[in-house]
Structures are given as C-alpha cells and as structure tokens.
Amino acid sequence: MIENGIKVIKIGGNIIDDDSKLNNFLTDFVNIAGLKILVHGGGKLATELTDRLGVDTKMIDGRRVTDAETLKIVTMVYAGYINKMLVAKLQSLGCNAFGLSGADANTIPALKRNDSKIDWGYVGDLDYNMPDAANIKIFLDNHWVPVFCAITHDHQGNLLNTNADTIAACIASALAKKNYEVTLVYCFEKKGVLADINDENSVIKKINSAYYMELKDRNIVSKGMIPKLDNAFQSLKEGVHEVKICMAEDLHDFENAGTLITQMNI
C-alpha cells in the first residue's frame, strides 16, 4: 500500500438501481486497502419521485434542469435516502462511513451555473480549487470513509445539484494538492471506454489526450462519456496520479481492468 495514497471512487446511478450489483460493489469497496472516498450519483429514484409528485422533468443533453421544486426532490433523494442507504450498507460491512453533501463542513462549495442561453436553475458548477481538502482530510485522519452525494452549496444559503463525475474529479484534484497520491476510479455499467458501443469486449485499454481527440473526431466517444473523460484529463493536469474507468463489477481488480487515462504517449 502506498503511504499517503488514496482512492476516490465514483459509482454511477445504474449500479445504485441494482441491489445485487450494489451490494457486490460495496463489498469490493470495503476490501480496498487504505484511504478511500466514495462519490455517488442518483439513479432513477429522483426521476420516479418527480413524476409521482407531478413535477415536470426537463433534461438538456442528459443534464437535469433543476428548478426549486426539483431541487427539493433531488436533495431528499441524493443527500437523504441514497446517501444514508449507502452509509448504512457500508456500516454493516464494517466500514465506518460518513455521509456528506458538499454543504457539510463546507467541503464542496460551488457556483450557481450562469448560462446566458439556458436557465439551468439550481445547478452547480465547480472548479478544481473549490473542494476544501483540509476539511476532507479531517474525516480521513479520523479513519472515517467520506461518502459524498451530488449536492453542493453556494455560500448564499442555496443547495445546488452538481454533476457527480465532476465532484469526484475535483475532490481527487484537491487532495492531490495536499500531497496525497490519488487514484480516481469511475465505476459504471460498461467494462471501460469501448471502441464499439455494441461490443462489451472492445475495451480501449489506454487513452492519452491526443488519442482522445481522435476518438471524439471519429464519434467513437460521445454523449455521457465525454464529461467523464474531460474530467479525467483535467484531474491529471491538476496532479491526480492515475484515472481508471471500469465496470463496477471489476472494482476488486480495477488496476488491471477497464481503461487507463494517461498523459503519457501510448
């Protein structure tokens, strides 16, 4: 185990929605040695509850527009039920987890999105200096495992719905600046970045920035994968040691599975 090494692991909503996959993932997460942080998305529950309450769901390019009523729902689901459910499951596995939003201990302040063309509502944007690594370190020093949801705050009394992939990358980058050797792992339902979206075995083992531009130009990567990769490359620039993108079921062997994102030539 690397001294002062830490794993920042992000789990996607599709895994949260599957009890069996989630339980296996959390078991593998607990078995990872050393310091670690879990960042989670929201799953389908927020959309289901929004529909049941008669609140319109508006999505633009896969991103949720978050008006005042939607903010109440996503906060209840992300920072409430899902976050505490994950903490309870981790506690049952002997992992002393501590559930957090970005408002707690001022760990992740954000800025309300300012877009001249689209009113995103209460959506938060981050830069890589915003997470308070010193406060996050307090949890780590006390041997607690932080579990962050996708809710931040703006220092104006407002909660903000914020992309969980970006939160994970920014936490990883902030900790790297505190002299941690940080590995960022994105876990989702695919085996990695795929050369052919219809072929689960077409995993691209390594991607550097030049190859990434080529993959985008050829439309091999698009939509939801682009924000993950953008965050991955930016976090490397900010000092993160390594980024992996892999299937949640492969977390136990993430060092050999999935796609390695690297700044080095391949």
Side-chain angles (χ1 to χ4, degrees), residues 224-249:
M225 185 54 69
I226 288 177
K228 272 188 177 61
L229 289 167
D230 285 345
N231 281 315
F233 281 110
Q234 186 60 41
S235 68
L236 290 173
K237 290 179 182 178
E238 298 290 332
V240 170
H241 173 67
E242 183 176 89
V243 182
K244 294 298 292 281
I245 299 176
C246 66
M247 182 177 273
E249 289 91 331

mmCIF file of all heavy atoms in Angstrom, residues 224-249:
data_model
loop_
_atom_site.group_PDB
_atom_site.id
_atom_site.type_symbol
_atom_site.label_atom_id
_atom_site.label_comp_id
_atom_site.label_asym_id
_atom_site.label_seq_id
_atom_site.Cartn_x
_atom_site.Cartn_y
_atom_site.Cartn_z
ATOM 1 N N GLY A 224 -22.493 10.858 -22.802
ATOM 2 C CA GLY A 224 -22.138 10.812 -21.396
ATOM 3 C C GLY A 224 -20.689 10.480 -21.111
ATOM 4 O O GLY A 224 -20.185 10.786 -20.029
ATOM 5 N N MET A 225 -19.985 9.864 -22.062
ATOM 6 C CA MET A 225 -18.587 9.522 -21.830
ATOM 7 C C MET A 225 -17.679 10.744 -21.915
ATOM 8 O O MET A 225 -16.630 10.796 -21.259
ATOM 9 C CB MET A 225 -18.128 8.458 -22.840
ATOM 10 C CG MET A 225 -16.718 7.941 -22.608
ATOM 11 S SD MET A 225 -16.425 7.311 -20.937
ATOM 12 C CE MET A 225 -17.430 5.834 -20.969
ATOM 13 N N ILE A 226 -18.078 11.742 -22.681
ATOM 14 C CA ILE A 226 -17.222 12.918 -22.855
ATOM 15 C C ILE A 226 -16.993 13.674 -21.548
ATOM 16 O O ILE A 226 -15.838 14.009 -21.217
ATOM 17 C CB ILE A 226 -17.782 13.835 -23.969
ATOM 18 C CG1 ILE A 226 -17.565 13.155 -25.331
ATOM 19 C CG2 ILE A 226 -17.113 15.199 -23.937
ATOM 20 C CD1 ILE A 226 -18.125 13.910 -26.513
ATOM 21 N N PRO A 227 -18.042 13.957 -20.743
ATOM 22 C CA PRO A 227 -17.757 14.627 -19.459
ATOM 23 C C PRO A 227 -16.836 13.822 -18.550
ATOM 24 O O PRO A 227 -15.986 14.397 -17.861
ATOM 25 C CB PRO A 227 -19.152 14.792 -18.838
ATOM 26 C CG PRO A 227 -20.092 14.774 -19.984
ATOM 27 C CD PRO A 227 -19.489 13.830 -20.974
ATOM 28 N N LYS A 228 -16.988 12.478 -18.544
ATOM 29 C CA LYS A 228 -16.093 11.646 -17.730
ATOM 30 C C LYS A 228 -14.642 11.822 -18.172
ATOM 31 O O LYS A 228 -13.736 12.007 -17.346
ATOM 32 C CB LYS A 228 -16.481 10.166 -17.855
ATOM 33 C CG LYS A 228 -17.524 9.667 -16.885
ATOM 34 C CD LYS A 228 -17.672 8.162 -16.989
ATOM 35 C CE LYS A 228 -18.672 7.640 -15.958
ATOM 36 N NZ LYS A 228 -20.014 8.185 -16.108
ATOM 37 N N LEU A 229 -14.418 11.765 -19.469
ATOM 38 C CA LEU A 229 -13.058 11.857 -19.981
ATOM 39 C C LEU A 229 -12.499 13.271 -19.835
ATOM 40 O O LEU A 229 -11.312 13.448 -19.520
ATOM 41 C CB LEU A 229 -13.019 11.395 -21.437
ATOM 42 C CG LEU A 229 -13.206 9.885 -21.626
ATOM 43 C CD1 LEU A 229 -13.464 9.542 -23.089
ATOM 44 C CD2 LEU A 229 -11.989 9.121 -21.114
ATOM 45 N N ASP A 230 -13.337 14.283 -20.033
ATOM 46 C CA ASP A 230 -12.884 15.654 -19.816
ATOM 47 C C ASP A 230 -12.428 15.836 -18.365
ATOM 48 O O ASP A 230 -11.367 16.421 -18.098
ATOM 49 C CB ASP A 230 -14.007 16.648 -20.125
ATOM 50 C CG ASP A 230 -14.250 16.812 -21.616
ATOM 51 O OD1 ASP A 230 -13.384 16.394 -22.415
ATOM 52 O OD2 ASP A 230 -15.300 17.363 -21.984
ATOM 53 N N ASN A 231 -13.241 15.331 -17.437
ATOM 54 C CA ASN A 231 -12.869 15.426 -16.029
ATOM 55 C C ASN A 231 -11.606 14.625 -15.726
ATOM 56 O O ASN A 231 -10.756 15.054 -14.933
ATOM 57 C CB ASN A 231 -14.020 14.913 -15.150
ATOM 58 C CG ASN A 231 -15.123 15.933 -14.982
ATOM 59 O OD1 ASN A 231 -14.872 17.097 -14.742
ATOM 60 N ND2 ASN A 231 -16.368 15.493 -15.109
ATOM 61 N N ALA A 232 -11.475 13.472 -16.348
ATOM 62 C CA ALA A 232 -10.304 12.623 -16.120
ATOM 63 C C ALA A 232 -9.022 13.332 -16.541
ATOM 64 O O ALA A 232 -8.042 13.395 -15.771
ATOM 65 C CB ALA A 232 -10.458 11.313 -16.884
ATOM 66 N N PHE A 233 -9.010 13.897 -17.731
ATOM 67 C CA PHE A 233 -7.792 14.553 -18.216
ATOM 68 C C PHE A 233 -7.489 15.827 -17.426
ATOM 69 O O PHE A 233 -6.321 16.117 -17.138
ATOM 70 C CB PHE A 233 -7.908 14.864 -19.710
ATOM 71 C CG PHE A 233 -7.660 13.666 -20.581
ATOM 72 C CD1 PHE A 233 -8.691 13.069 -21.288
ATOM 73 C CD2 PHE A 233 -6.391 13.111 -20.680
ATOM 74 C CE1 PHE A 233 -8.466 11.955 -22.073
ATOM 75 C CE2 PHE A 233 -6.156 11.995 -21.467
ATOM 76 C CZ PHE A 233 -7.199 11.408 -22.166
ATOM 77 N N GLN A 234 -8.528 16.565 -17.045
ATOM 78 C CA GLN A 234 -8.280 17.763 -16.260
ATOM 79 C C GLN A 234 -7.717 17.411 -14.887
ATOM 80 O O GLN A 234 -6.812 18.084 -14.385
ATOM 81 C CB GLN A 234 -9.565 18.588 -16.111
ATOM 82 C CG GLN A 234 -9.364 19.928 -15.424
ATOM 83 C CD GLN A 234 -8.401 20.835 -16.172
ATOM 84 O OE1 GLN A 234 -8.436 20.900 -17.406
ATOM 85 N NE2 GLN A 234 -7.530 21.527 -15.439
ATOM 86 N N SER A 235 -8.238 16.337 -14.277
ATOM 87 C CA SER A 235 -7.733 15.945 -12.956
ATOM 88 C C SER A 235 -6.268 15.515 -13.033
ATOM 89 O O SER A 235 -5.483 15.782 -12.113
ATOM 90 C CB SER A 235 -8.601 14.831 -12.359
ATOM 91 O OG SER A 235 -8.475 13.626 -13.079
ATOM 92 N N LEU A 236 -5.864 14.879 -14.123
ATOM 93 C CA LEU A 236 -4.454 14.526 -14.307
ATOM 94 C C LEU A 236 -3.591 15.796 -14.370
ATOM 95 O O LEU A 236 -2.503 15.855 -13.790
ATOM 96 C CB LEU A 236 -4.270 13.692 -15.564
ATOM 97 C CG LEU A 236 -4.830 12.259 -15.531
ATOM 98 C CD1 LEU A 236 -4.730 11.624 -16.908
ATOM 99 C CD2 LEU A 236 -4.090 11.406 -14.503
ATOM 100 N N LYS A 237 -4.090 16.812 -15.078
ATOM 101 C CA LYS A 237 -3.358 18.075 -15.154
ATOM 102 C C LYS A 237 -3.234 18.723 -13.775
ATOM 103 O O LYS A 237 -2.266 19.445 -13.506
ATOM 104 C CB LYS A 237 -4.064 19.036 -16.113
ATOM 105 C CG LYS A 237 -3.992 18.630 -17.574
ATOM 106 C CD LYS A 237 -4.738 19.630 -18.441
ATOM 107 C CE LYS A 237 -4.726 19.214 -19.901
ATOM 108 N NZ LYS A 237 -5.502 20.172 -20.745
ATOM 109 N N GLU A 238 -4.218 18.461 -12.914
ATOM 110 C CA GLU A 238 -4.240 19.064 -11.583
ATOM 111 C C GLU A 238 -3.451 18.248 -10.564
ATOM 112 O O GLU A 238 -3.444 18.579 -9.378
ATOM 113 C CB GLU A 238 -5.688 19.223 -11.108
ATOM 114 C CG GLU A 238 -6.537 20.142 -11.965
ATOM 115 C CD GLU A 238 -6.144 21.595 -11.845
ATOM 116 O OE1 GLU A 238 -5.622 21.975 -10.785
ATOM 117 O OE2 GLU A 238 -6.342 22.348 -12.817
ATOM 118 N N GLY A 239 -2.824 17.152 -10.996
ATOM 119 C CA GLY A 239 -1.943 16.424 -10.095
ATOM 120 C C GLY A 239 -2.395 15.042 -9.678
ATOM 121 O O GLY A 239 -1.687 14.363 -8.921
ATOM 122 N N VAL A 240 -3.577 14.609 -10.134
ATOM 123 C CA VAL A 240 -4.028 13.250 -9.815
ATOM 124 C C VAL A 240 -3.078 12.243 -10.463
ATOM 125 O O VAL A 240 -2.657 12.409 -11.612
ATOM 126 C CB VAL A 240 -5.483 13.039 -10.291
ATOM 127 C CG1 VAL A 240 -5.901 11.572 -10.202
ATOM 128 C CG2 VAL A 240 -6.431 13.902 -9.450
ATOM 129 N N HIS A 241 -2.751 11.189 -9.718
ATOM 130 C CA HIS A 241 -1.749 10.228 -10.164
ATOM 131 C C HIS A 241 -2.247 9.365 -11.311
ATOM 132 O O HIS A 241 -1.514 9.123 -12.283
ATOM 133 C CB HIS A 241 -1.338 9.342 -8.985
ATOM 134 C CG HIS A 241 -0.431 8.202 -9.345
ATOM 135 N ND1 HIS A 241 0.862 8.396 -9.784
ATOM 136 C CD2 HIS A 241 -0.642 6.846 -9.339
ATOM 137 C CE1 HIS A 241 1.420 7.223 -10.033
ATOM 138 N NE2 HIS A 241 0.535 6.272 -9.776
ATOM 139 N N GLU A 242 -3.487 8.899 -11.209
ATOM 140 C CA GLU A 242 -3.984 7.922 -12.188
ATOM 141 C C GLU A 242 -5.496 7.972 -12.227
ATOM 142 O O GLU A 242 -6.152 8.205 -11.211
ATOM 143 C CB GLU A 242 -3.520 6.520 -11.792
ATOM 144 C CG GLU A 242 -3.899 5.411 -12.742
ATOM 145 C CD GLU A 242 -3.316 4.076 -12.305
ATOM 146 O OE1 GLU A 242 -3.985 3.364 -11.517
ATOM 147 O OE2 GLU A 242 -2.203 3.756 -12.742
ATOM 148 N N VAL A 243 -6.072 7.748 -13.426
ATOM 149 C CA VAL A 243 -7.524 7.664 -13.579
ATOM 150 C C VAL A 243 -7.871 6.375 -14.308
ATOM 151 O O VAL A 243 -7.277 6.066 -15.347
ATOM 152 C CB VAL A 243 -8.093 8.872 -14.360
ATOM 153 C CG1 VAL A 243 -9.620 8.773 -14.450
ATOM 154 C CG2 VAL A 243 -7.685 10.194 -13.715
ATOM 155 N N LYS A 244 -8.823 5.632 -13.760
ATOM 156 C CA LYS A 244 -9.333 4.423 -14.407
ATOM 157 C C LYS A 244 -10.841 4.553 -14.612
ATOM 158 O O LYS A 244 -11.549 5.121 -13.770
ATOM 159 C CB LYS A 244 -9.062 3.170 -13.557
ATOM 160 C CG LYS A 244 -7.605 2.799 -13.397
ATOM 161 C CD LYS A 244 -6.932 2.463 -14.730
ATOM 162 C CE LYS A 244 -7.426 1.198 -15.394
ATOM 163 N NZ LYS A 244 -6.881 -0.027 -14.840
ATOM 164 N N ILE A 245 -11.316 4.016 -15.713
ATOM 165 C CA ILE A 245 -12.756 3.916 -15.982
ATOM 166 C C ILE A 245 -13.055 2.442 -16.193
ATOM 167 O O ILE A 245 -12.484 1.817 -17.103
ATOM 168 C CB ILE A 245 -13.164 4.735 -17.216
ATOM 169 C CG1 ILE A 245 -12.855 6.215 -16.994
ATOM 170 C CG2 ILE A 245 -14.646 4.543 -17.525
ATOM 171 C CD1 ILE A 245 -13.143 7.103 -18.201
ATOM 172 N N CYS A 246 -13.915 1.872 -15.341
ATOM 173 C CA CYS A 246 -14.140 0.428 -15.410
ATOM 174 C C CYS A 246 -15.558 0.079 -14.977
ATOM 175 O O CYS A 246 -16.318 0.918 -14.488
ATOM 176 C CB CYS A 246 -13.132 -0.311 -14.529
ATOM 177 S SG CYS A 246 -13.292 -0.024 -12.761
ATOM 178 N N MET A 247 -15.890 -1.181 -15.174
ATOM 179 C CA MET A 247 -17.169 -1.715 -14.733
ATOM 180 C C MET A 247 -17.165 -1.859 -13.218
ATOM 181 O O MET A 247 -16.144 -2.220 -12.619
ATOM 182 C CB MET A 247 -17.404 -3.076 -15.407
ATOM 183 C CG MET A 247 -18.729 -3.745 -15.082
ATOM 184 S SD MET A 247 -18.918 -5.307 -16.002
ATOM 185 C CE MET A 247 -19.644 -4.689 -17.529
ATOM 186 N N ALA A 248 -18.310 -1.577 -12.608
ATOM 187 C CA ALA A 248 -18.406 -1.673 -11.152
ATOM 188 C C ALA A 248 -18.038 -3.066 -10.651
ATOM 189 O O ALA A 248 -17.416 -3.215 -9.594
ATOM 190 C CB ALA A 248 -19.809 -1.300 -10.696
ATOM 191 N N GLU A 249 -18.397 -4.092 -11.422
ATOM 192 C CA GLU A 249 -18.093 -5.464 -11.021
ATOM 193 C C GLU A 249 -16.597 -5.756 -11.015
ATOM 194 O O GLU A 249 -16.165 -6.760 -10.440
ATOM 195 C CB GLU A 249 -18.800 -6.456 -11.957
ATOM 196 C CG GLU A 249 -20.305 -6.533 -11.787
ATOM 197 C CD GLU A 249 -21.052 -5.562 -12.686
ATOM 198 O OE1 GLU A 249 -20.482 -4.494 -13.022
ATOM 199 O OE2 GLU A 249 -22.194 -5.850 -13.047
#
